[in-house]
Amino acid sequence: MDQSEFEQIVRVVTEEVVRYLGTPETVIAGGAAGDGEICPDCDLNCAEKCARKTRAVVDAGADRISCGPSIVELEAGFAGLIDHTLLKPEASRDEIRKLCQEAVRFGFASVCINPWNVPLAAELVRATKVKVCTVIGFPLGATLSQVKIHEAEEAIKLGAQEVDMVINIGALKSGQDDVVESDIRGVVEVAHSGGAICKVIFETSLLTIEEKVRASLASKRAGADFVKTSTGFSTGGATAEDVALMRAVVGSGIGVKASGGVRTLDDLKKMVCAGATRIGASASVKIMEQAAGSASPQAVASGSSASTSY
C-alpha cells in the first residue's frame, strides 16, 4: 500500500467517525458536495436524507455505515454477542464457576478468562453452546512472539476455542508494522490449526487514529477473525468512534469486538450501532437484567461502578 492509498483510507474512516459523532458544521477536506447541508432537526445520523455524504463514504471504500443508537433494535438472542468476562488477577475458582454458570444460563457467546482458568471453564461449559475464550500476551502485548504462540497453543490444548491476543504496541508505535503483522500471524495460525478463532486487541486508548488504522490493516493481512478495542487494564476502554473506525477499515469480513467500559444496555447498543459484532463485558448479567426491565439504567450503572469492565 502506497502513501496515497493510506491517506485515502484515513480520510474515509475519519469522515465516517465524524459523521457518527454528528458534529455540526464540520467539513472534511475532499468531502462530497452538500456536506454542509443540514435538514431541520437533523442529527447527522440519517443515511437516507444525508445520501450524498453516505454515497461519498461508500464510494471511497467503506462497506458499513453506522447509525444512531436510538434506532437500534436488538434481537431477542443478543446475549450471543457477549463474551462474559472475568480477567482480574485475583479471581477465585468459585468466581470462575459462577461466571460459567451465568454464561450457560443467559446463553452468552463465551466466558473470557485467564489461561490458568481454561481447564476449569472448559469442564464447566462442556456440552453447552458457550465457548471458552482466553487471553494471550495479556495485558501488555510486549512479550516475545514465540511466547505468545506457545501460550496460545497450550491454551487451545486445554480447551480454549477463542484466543484474544494483545498486539506488540511498542512495535506499532515504532513504525514496525511488519513486526506487528508477524506477531499476529503467528498466533492466528496456531489458533486456526487448533480449530480456534483469534481476536486481536489494539489497546485503542494508547493509539492515534493513524495507528488504529495501521493495526486494523495488519490484523486483516494476518488473517485475524476479529479486531478488538481494549484489554480493560489501560487508560481507557471501548468507544463507539473507535469501533466505527475499525469497522470502516476491516470491512464486513472480520468481526469487531468492543471491550472495556461496556456496562449498560445503552453502551452495548452504541457499540453494535457503530459496527461491533461481539461485546466483552463483566457487567453482562446486569445488562441482561436491564434488557428484561428488571433493573433501571441508573441501578445498572451504579452497580457496575465498583468493578472494572473488561
Side-chain angles (χ1 to χ4, degrees):
M1 176 179 295
D2 61 28
Q3 184 63 27
S4 63
E5 291 174 322
F6 181 78
E7 289 175 354
Q8 171 74 347
I9 290 175
V10 172
R11 184 183 69 79
V12 170
V13 297
T14 302
E15 286 180 350
E16 167 70 357
V17 171
V18 169
R19 192 205 58 74
Y20 179 85
L21 286 168
T23 306
E25 300 179 359
T26 300
V27 179
I28 303 298
D35 277 358
E37 297 179 9
I38 301 176
C39 300
D41 301 319
C42 179
D43 63 0
L44 295 181
N45 286 322
C46 174
E48 177 183 356
K49 294 183 180 179
C50 294
R52 277 180 288 187
K53 297 176 186 178
T54 302
R55 221 171 11 246
V57 174
V58 172
D59 289 345
D63 60 6
R64 179 74 66 93
I65 301 296
S66 57
C67 60
S70 60
I71 64 172
V72 173
E73 292 185 7
L74 295 174
E75 297 179 359
F78 79 90
L81 295 173
I82 299 174
D83 288 344
H84 193 32
T85 304
L86 180 56
L87 293 169
K88 61 183 184 180
E90 70 272 25
S92 69
R93 304 296 265 180
D94 286 343
E95 288 176 307
I96 297 299
R97 291 186 183 93
K98 180 181 179 184
L99 186 86
C100 293
Q101 290 168 356
E102 291 169 341
V104 172
R105 173 188 170 196
F106 287 100
F108 294 133
S110 78
V111 287
C112 187
I113 36 82
N114 283 305
W116 185 68
N117 291 310
V118 165
L120 175 60
E123 180 62 31
L124 291 170
V125 303
R126 193 183 307 279
T128 75
K129 293 183 179 181
V130 178
K131 297 187 182 300
V132 176
C133 173
T134 195
V135 287
I136 303 300
F138 195 86
L140 301 179
T143 192
L144 299 172
S145 293
Q146 302 95 306
V147 175
K148 291 181 182 178
I149 290 170
H150 181 71
E151 185 177 27
E153 191 172 36
E154 291 303 306
I156 291 167
K157 288 179 183 177
L158 292 172
Q161 298 153 293
E162 302 186 356
V163 294
D164 291 15
M165 69 161 292
V166 186
I167 65 166
N168 188 324
I169 302 167
L172 182 71
K173 285 192 164 291
S174 300
Q176 296 176 287
D177 293 16
D178 56 335
V179 172
V180 175
E181 183 178 337
S182 176
D183 188 57
I184 296 168
R185 182 176 285 107
V187 177
V188 167
E189 290 178 351
V190 165
H192 289 175
S193 66
I197 68 170
C198 179
K199 310 189 201 90
V200 180
I201 307 172
F202 293 176
E203 205 66 282
T204 49
S205 63
L206 302 180
L207 306 180
T208 65
I209 289 177
E210 178 185 346
E211 288 164 349
K212 294 167 193 173
V213 171
R214 286 165 41 214
S216 297
L217 292 172
S219 300
K220 187 172 183 177
R221 290 193 300 265
D225 300 287
F226 279 78
V227 290
K228 176 179 170 181
T229 58
S230 321
T231 64
F233 283 81
S234 189
T235 57
T239 69
E241 296 75 42
D242 282 340
V243 169
L245 185 151
M246 293 159 70
R247 171 56 69 196
V249 177
V250 301
S252 59
I254 296 178
V256 177
K257 178 175 174 178
S259 184
V262 182
R263 299 185 178 93
T264 69
L265 180 62
D266 189 54
D267 290 339
L268 183 146
K269 290 173 69 175
K270 287 177 182 177
M271 299 305 167
V272 172
C273 169
T277 49
R278 190 75 70 90
I279 303 295
S282 59
S284 319
V285 172
K286 292 183 182 295
I287 290 171
M288 297 302 296
E289 289 172 348
Q290 184 180 344
S294 59
S296 68
Q298 293 78 12
V300 172
S302 62
S304 302
S305 61
S307 62
T308 304
S309 291
Y310 302 111

